[in-house]
Amino acid sequence: MTEPSTPSSAALVRLVAGREISSRIRDKNFIISSIVIVVLLIGGIAFQVIANSGADAARLGIVGEAGRLGPAVQAQGEAVGVDVEVAEYDDAAAARAAVEDGEVDAALLDGTGSAPELLVENRDPTLEAVVGGAVSGLAISDRLLAAGVDAQSLPAVAVTPLGDAEDDQQRVIVAIVGVAVLYSLLILFSQFVAQGVVEEKASRVVELLLATMRPWQLLAGKIAGLGALGLGQIVLIGVVATGSALAFDVVSVPGELISTVVTVIAWFVLGYAFYASVFAVAASLVSRQEDLGSVIMPTTILLVIGFVVAIQAAGDPSGTLATVTSYVPGLSPLVMPVRQAAGEVAAWEVALAVVLMLVAIALIVRLGGRVYAGALLRTSGRTKLREALRAGRA
Amino acid sequence: MLEFDGLSKSYGNNRVLEGVAFTVAPGSMFGFCGANGAGKTTTMRIAMGLARADAGEVRWRGRALDQALRRRIGYMPEERGLYPKMKVGEQLAYFARLHGLDSRAAARAAEQWAERLGLGARRGDQVEKLSLGNQQRVQLAAALVGRPEVLILDEPFSGLDPVGVDALAEALLEQVRAGVPVVFSSHQLDLVERLCDSVGILARGRMVATGTVTELRQRESGRVLRVVVPDAPQGWASTLSGVRVVSQQGGDTLLELDGGADEQAVLAAALRTGRVTHFAWREPTLVELFREAVADPAERGEEVAA
């Protein structure tokens, strides 16, 4: 029989972390929610693939020679992101039959004549607009030509693509999906931390724990254990999402997809450290799960604001709101990844946001640790922040 | 020696402890008695570092208790505390590890203590699925599983059935035989009297009596003699010098003797009335000693000892 030894701080933190992981990992709700997230993600990507392939190709039947009409319709379709395949039919009856059989989505009769008519089985506003635009466009240019005006001489907007706008767009979409996942996981795991703190207080097991370790060791172990689990989950999601996106060929530039995913994961680590600490400290003020909602509400609202701003930032990554909030600790983990993905930030800006976040975390751990220590043993009702601070300092 | 030395504690204007002091020798059991709210729990919480004393300290082997020493103490809090959703065996092993056992020793200790306290079949069950009595046993096992050098138990016997009481008493006596000092608080004074080498009585934050039960009895002022004289007339002893009649019902007489009074003279007087069927010093029970000790001199009779 070996004599009991004095465990080091690291050993105690590891023990606490190990308990958190092993009890959470066997929790049915946790397992189910993890599976649901992964399934939703893969499902979402698969849906994207199917939806894109379905919507892109519209088939249009044209009676007689397609002539200029075919290319005009296809050009018009391209402008709104719809591929149009053109099939030629000899007469109106054959075109009508083709529409009825579903061979084509629509058939255009007398496209260049005075009374053009579009036959459709199911109405499709996009296709109708495309065909309509092409027909009237041709008619206008014909009339202009007849009036002696060369359509070519009309001023046209020349488009010059700057940089890789389309790739940025793709990266921003990836970043939004990433931030949505990050936001859900931050809420989920911070809640786990908060519930764990209250559970220990409510069941009074905290008295036994504090007889063997210091409050900060308990807090560190809890946050580290659940954090490791959360990190594992976001990495898993990142790998699954990247893997399936590449497999389904949804993205064109894999390197940038991966760098965005890595950025999101890195911000998760910072964001989790921030929110888990705040949630744990807030939770230490109450002794019943029923009271938990009211104390974590302000922080939850901050998290929701961060998410909303991040979505907004995706549309306007260089706007004032996005720029300012991407430095604010607590908001930056949600907003900055979107700005980074949009390619609108310099390295120093990211570094500044990270430093500010680290400072905030250090402050919270220091002050919050004191509140936590002061409040843990007060099991009667709700402890005031100031009382807890005073008790923690004594 | 486990020494509680001059502990004082106030919550605001409420003085909870005033100079509480007692010592517990290794291998002895100390029964901590006192009315509800007398300060027993606060004293134990101070020892465990869960409350801070305004003055005084608790020492083990001459060293003030710190985190490392406290880890060697098996503690059972007044408000029971376990992880409700954790399995009994895993929970015990976890606490053993927190007390410094390595994982294999912890698993073995958890198994042994679960077996010892009659929880062998419930090792794989979540604590919240157990009856309150069985949860109580798990709590005890949690205090014992870390191979403690000292045991501090707040009301360990409350809520246990007689079989549980016996199992726990046996476990505690075994710890005592192994040289562990045991402090426990209890309102079950018959148990305290049966198990404890020494007793401390706390009233309104002060230790009003400490010592072995025998010492406490001897310290009791005045000596009470019970004499049963079936044929004696009422007031047969009222003329004896140095003797006060406490009560007489039929021939059953309780007499309180001064220090100088001679009990042989009382016996002679009793014999003169006729038959004497009972003649003995009456030993006060711990309950009586307790009532005597905790009664507030200012409001005697109002304070109700639990």
Side-chain angles (χ1 to χ4, degrees):
Chain A
M1 274 250 226
T2 48
E3 270 310 294
S5 57
T6 299
S8 64
S9 284
L12 284 170
V13 170
R14 263 205 308 278
L15 269 176
V16 174
R19 198 202 78 85
E20 293 295 336
I21 293 175
S22 75
S23 63
R24 206 39 97 165
I25 221 162
R26 282 180 292 179
D27 180 7
K28 255 188 226 111
N29 293 332
F30 173 71
I31 297 170
I32 292 172
S33 73
S34 307
I35 293 174
V36 166
I37 290 178
V38 171
V39 168
L40 275 182
L41 209 62
I42 297 180
I45 290 169
F47 176 77
Q48 190 81 17
V49 172
I50 294 163
N52 284 348
S53 61
D56 276 354
R59 285 156 305 162
L60 177 70
I62 295 180
V63 178
E65 284 280 316
R68 293 182 301 148
L69 207 45
V73 170
Q74 281 169 338
Q76 194 78 28
E78 205 163 284
V80 295
V82 183
D83 283 341
V84 183
E85 288 169 12
V86 174
E88 293 174 358
Y89 293 93
D90 290 338
D91 53 39
R96 186 180 296 272
V99 172
E100 278 166 0
D101 295 347
E103 248 176 69
V104 293
D105 297 311
L108 180 62
L109 309 181
D110 195 18
T112 49
S114 56
E117 186 184 2
L118 189 66
L119 298 177
V120 289
E121 178 79 7
N122 301 305
R123 298 208 58 168
D124 177 349
T126 316
L127 186 59
E128 288 166 24
V130 165
V131 174
V135 168
S136 58
L138 269 185
I140 288 169
S141 85
D142 283 353
R143 297 276 164 85
L144 287 174
L145 208 59
V149 183
D150 183 3
Q152 300 292 327
S153 69
L154 289 175
V157 176
V159 177
T160 313
L162 288 175
D164 40 9
E166 194 171 325
D167 292 344
D168 276 354
Q169 192 54 38
Q170 205 168 59
R171 290 182 62 182
V172 168
I173 290 170
V174 171
I176 289 179
V177 173
V179 163
V181 170
L182 181 137
Y183 166 78
S184 329
L185 289 187
L186 279 182
I187 289 232
L188 187 68
F189 281 88
S190 301
Q191 291 261 25
F192 282 165
V193 170
Q195 285 165 3
V197 169
V198 177
E199 185 197 28
E200 282 169 1
K201 257 192 103 170
S203 69
R204 314 293 165 118
V205 74
V206 73
E207 294 210 358
L208 278 187
L209 299 174
L210 290 190
T212 61
M213 68 178 95
R214 300 201 177 285
W216 74 261
Q217 293 165 333
L218 181 58
L219 184 60
K222 190 173 281 298
I223 290 180
L226 289 170
L229 212 53
L231 186 61
Q233 191 161 25
I234 199 169
V235 167
L236 174 74
I237 290 172
V239 167
V240 168
T242 312
S244 49
L246 294 180
F248 290 133
D249 207 16
V250 179
V251 287
S252 48
V253 193
E256 294 191 336
L257 169 69
I258 291 167
S259 82
T260 300
V261 169
V262 168
T263 308
V264 168
I265 291 175
W267 278 108
F268 170 79
V269 173
L270 286 176
Y272 171 78
F274 180 91
Y275 283 104
S277 308
V278 176
F279 271 47
V281 171
S284 72
L285 296 175
V286 296
S287 333
R288 299 183 311 161
Q289 298 286 4
E290 297 91 305
D291 299 333
L292 186 57
S294 62
V295 285
I296 60 176
M297 179 64 82
T299 327
T300 313
I301 289 176
L302 184 67
L303 201 46
V304 173
I305 290 174
F307 185 55
V308 172
V309 172
I311 297 299
Q312 193 273 341
D316 184 14
S318 50
T320 316
L321 181 65
T323 312
V324 171
T325 50
S326 66
Y327 299 121
V328 177
L331 299 179
S332 54
L334 294 157
V335 182
M336 194 51 108
V338 176
R339 286 193 64 207
Q340 280 176 268
E344 299 286 338
V345 281
W348 70 265
E349 290 183 282
V350 178
L352 177 62
V354 170
V355 168
L356 285 175
M357 191 68 183
L358 287 175
V359 169
I361 292 169
L363 272 176
I364 289 168
V365 168
R366 225 181 127 65
L367 265 178
R370 201 194 279 165
V371 173
Y372 180 78
L376 265 195
L377 291 171
R378 297 178 170 230
T379 43
S380 51
R382 205 180 141 171
T383 312
K384 293 212 173 61
L385 202 59
R386 199 176 306 155
E387 285 172 22
L389 260 177
R390 205 179 305 135
R393 199 181 302 143
Chain B
M1 282 293 189
L2 178 66
E3 298 164 274
F4 290 72
D5 188 4
L7 298 182
S8 294
K9 172 83 182 167
S10 301
Y11 288 110
N13 293 325
N14 185 15
R15 301 208 63 176
V16 185
L17 298 180
E18 290 184 65
V20 169
F22 59 91
T23 49
V24 188
S28 76
M29 203 163 334
F30 184 89
F32 202 21
C33 313
N36 293 327
K40 305 184 296 289
T41 295
T42 306
T43 305
M44 294 184 170
R45 283 170 61 92
I46 288 173
M48 294 316 296
L50 301 172
R52 219 176 285 264
D54 299 333
E57 61 179 14
V58 183
R59 289 184 295 271
W60 167 235
R61 292 181 175 151
R63 273 177 57 197
L65 290 183
D66 57 15
Q67 193 79 34
L69 282 175
R70 286 193 183 106
R71 199 169 289 120
R72 305 305 320 131
I73 300 178
Y75 172 57
M76 181 164 165
E78 178 201 29
E79 301 247 26
R80 310 299 184 227
L82 295 166
Y83 285 107
K85 296 200 186 301
M86 212 170 163
K87 288 175 182 168
V88 172
E90 287 172 16
Q91 182 135 231
L92 293 178
Y94 179 59
F95 282 115
R97 296 211 62 190
L98 289 182
H99 283 93
L101 270 61
D102 63 44
S103 68
R104 195 183 305 163
R108 204 167 45 218
E111 196 180 322
Q112 281 167 356
W113 277 110
E115 208 64 55
R116 265 300 290 284
L117 293 172
L119 296 163
R122 314 301 303 270
R123 272 215 312 276
D125 290 347
Q126 290 179 344
V127 167
E128 65 182 359
K129 302 238 165 77
L130 268 52
S131 69
L132 282 178
N134 276 336
Q135 291 188 18
Q136 172 90 335
R137 291 173 195 226
V138 179
Q139 195 80 53
L140 288 166
L144 291 161
V145 78
R147 264 185 263 147
E149 292 174 17
V150 174
L151 279 172
I152 294 181
L153 312 171
D154 203 349
E155 298 283 349
F157 291 101
S158 76
L160 285 181
D161 62 24
V163 179
V165 167
D166 287 345
L168 172 60
E170 186 42 52
L172 292 188
L173 286 169
E174 186 186 292
Q175 296 289 311
V176 165
R177 283 194 289 272
V180 173
V182 178
V183 180
F184 74 88
S185 65
S186 181
H187 291 306
Q188 284 148 285
L189 297 173
D190 52 329
L191 258 172
V192 174
E193 194 165 359
R194 195 175 95 210
L195 293 174
C196 290
D197 303 290
S198 54
V199 176
I201 299 175
L202 193 63
R204 293 168 303 279
R206 292 171 186 275
M207 292 299 285
V208 290
T210 43
T212 64
V213 176
T214 323
E215 279 168 2
L216 291 188
R217 285 194 178 119
Q218 284 166 355
R219 211 175 293 162
E220 184 75 344
S221 64
R223 302 170 296 160
V224 174
L225 199 59
R226 181 170 173 231
V227 187
V228 181
V229 277
D231 309 326
Q234 196 69 20
W236 63 273
S238 54
T239 54
L240 297 170
S241 73
V243 173
R244 189 175 70 83
V245 180
V246 177
S247 67
Q248 183 179 4
Q249 283 181 342
D252 193 340
T253 323
L254 281 181
L255 303 172
E256 194 177 306
L257 274 65
D258 290 349
D262 179 9
E263 76 278 2
Q264 297 304 318
V266 178
L267 179 59
L271 282 168
R272 281 197 293 277
T273 67
R275 288 188 304 134
V276 176
T277 57
H278 182 94
F279 182 88
W281 289 111
R282 206 191 57 127
E283 292 209 315
T285 63
L286 188 56
V287 175
E288 285 167 310
L289 290 174
F290 178 80
R291 289 219 177 91
E292 180 72 22
V294 302
D296 190 331
E299 42 189 298
R300 191 177 279 268
E302 282 177 33
E303 183 107 353
V304 180

